[in-house]
Amino acid sequence: MVCFRLFPVPGSGLVLVCLVLGAVRSYALELNLTDSGKATCLYAKWQMNFTVRYETTNKTYKTVTISDRGTVTYNGSICGDDQNGPKIAVQFGPGFSWIANFSKAASTYSIDSISFSYNTGDNTTFPDAEDKGILTVDELLAIKIPLNDLFRCNSLSTLEKDDVVQHYWDVLVQAFVQNGTVSTNEFLCDEDKTSTVAPTIHTTVPSPTTTPTPKEKPEAGTYSVNNGNDTCLLATMGLQLNITQDKVASVININPNTTHSTGSCRSHTALLRLNSSTIKYLDFVFAVKNENRFYLKEVNVSMYLVNGSVFSIANNNLSYWDAPLGSSYMCNKEQTVSVSGAFQINTFDLRVQPFNVTQGKYSTAQDCSADDDNFLVPIAVGAALAGVLILVLLAYFIGLKRHHAGYEQF
Ligand SMILES: *[C@@H]1O[C@H](CO)[C@@H](O)[C@H](O)[C@H]1NC(C)=O
Ligand SMILES: *[C@@H]1O[C@H](CO)[C@@H](O)[C@H](O)[C@H]1NC(C)=O
Ligand SMILES: *[C@@H]1O[C@H](CO)[C@@H](O)[C@H](O)[C@H]1NC(C)=O
Ligand SMILES: *[C@@H]1O[C@H](CO)[C@@H](O)[C@H](O)[C@H]1NC(C)=O
Ligand SMILES: *[C@@H]1O[C@H](CO)[C@@H](O)[C@H](O)[C@H]1NC(C)=O
Ligand SMILES: *[C@@H]1O[C@H](CO)[C@@H](O)[C@H](O)[C@H]1NC(C)=O
Ligand SMILES: *[C@@H]1O[C@H](CO)[C@@H](O)[C@H](O)[C@H]1NC(C)=O
Ligand SMILES: *[C@@H]1O[C@H](CO)[C@@H](O)[C@H](O)[C@H]1NC(C)=O
């Protein structure tokens, strides 16, 4: 697949256009369920594939793509009755099952949830899995569609939870079909409303961890560390990780809603540790210098990449976010913490206080724009010195010329 970035309109996010050259492997499915009177009651057509990460017996991680193996059956799919809502149930490959649930309200129906199960006990797909057994991921969707409308979503939708990434595209679905006729009124998903889909060009919005392209500003989250019942460390920030491997940069926005914080507070060091399903740990270690200032001294990270390998790096000789003890450090504009050549953290709307937090609130902030003012001082001094130097040189050359001219006269 070849991807281009097109028309980066300010504020609109970036649009990624991919020309599908090689065949994308997927399950291309179609289901036309009929009721007892042979009238269509549920219609669905869609493409999907899955990547599953699992731990192997030698403690490393592997990923497999589940895209086109095995026969497909729709056993258990129902149109719904008084007790149960409609359901699409699909079985494929060895031991995979997939269920989508629907429900109805006064003027809408909704796709409530998707449940995907896989069996790591299956030795052909997961030959060296450490734990054998059936695992299930449930995704709550709650997509509301007007009753008697056909839902369409050609854009790629990516669902990511635990060890599973689910891809869906070219989706058409209608539950509660009336009078046996699939509707001609289409209800588009938000992604289709904002993108233009040309016949041979597949337009998608970059997904959280799979697309190595610059992306929107990350959402800011507030993280805290407690010491007993008291908050001892506060950090509010939008975080974007930039991992460069084999000369390719992957940019990952951290979702604060699925990221947890822990840590510890001591008199001269403080630790903020973030975790999520893809971040094993991301440690920020703060230290005190000269007994009156704090700064970010160390970053230590370990995270799972999409291909299943683990990326780890640490640097304990950093010097960022410097501010007086008893205050907080603030920076709304984008800043970069360069941990190594291969790992950078871009921060947005940052405010952090690793020491002396009182009553769970930030103290007065030292703003990073003050850093900019400090920059101006050396620049001004440098410019003045350069000016003096030029004057001295001018004076020297003028003097030399006069002297020389004087000789010629004699
Ligand atoms: C699975 O689907 C995604 C989205 O269309 C695609 O990028 C990827 O290449 C597919 N996986 C395989 C193995 O074809
Ligand atoms: C569908 O599932 C039921 C119960 O799980 C089973 O009895 C039946 O044989 C299955 N039908 C097919 C066609 O697989
Ligand atoms: C879907 O509905 C079935 C009953 O029809 C229920 O057993 C199952 O828990 C539901 N799945 C989810 C994810 O809500
Ligand atoms: C279904 O048929 C009934 C009676 O024939 C009609 O009143 C109703 O408008 C039809 N509904 C739709 C969505 O076509
Ligand atoms: C990511 O890092 C690479 C290499 O350092 C750099 O060229 C690129 O501009 C960075 N991207 C972002 C969004 O920070
Ligand atoms: C995962 O990708 C990285 C960078 O592309 C590569 O260095 C690493 O070897 C890959 N790991 C596996 C298990 O494929
Ligand atoms: C980073 O964290 C790991 C695991 O906690 C630890 O083994 C390692 O020593 C740390 N590295 C640094 C430089 O602190
Ligand atoms: C730590 O960084 C400073 C300045 O960035 C550098 O002078 C020093 O050599 C570094 N120390 C180590 C152990 O890398």
Side-chain angles (χ1 to χ4, degrees), residues 111 121 175 263 324 358 403-404:
I111 310 173
T358 47
H403 200 68
H404 204 68

Side-chain angles (χ1 to χ4, degrees), residues 315-319:
N315 186 339
N316 62 4
N317 189 28
L318 301 174
S319 186

Side-chain angles (χ1 to χ4, degrees), residues 1 23-26 48-51 65-67 156 167-169 202:
M1 192 155 70
V24 172
R25 298 205 296 168
S26 70
M48 63 181 181
N49 71 24
F50 307 84
T51 54
T65 301
I66 317 300
S67 52
L156 178 66
H167 294 293
Y168 297 94
W169 66 101
H202 198 61

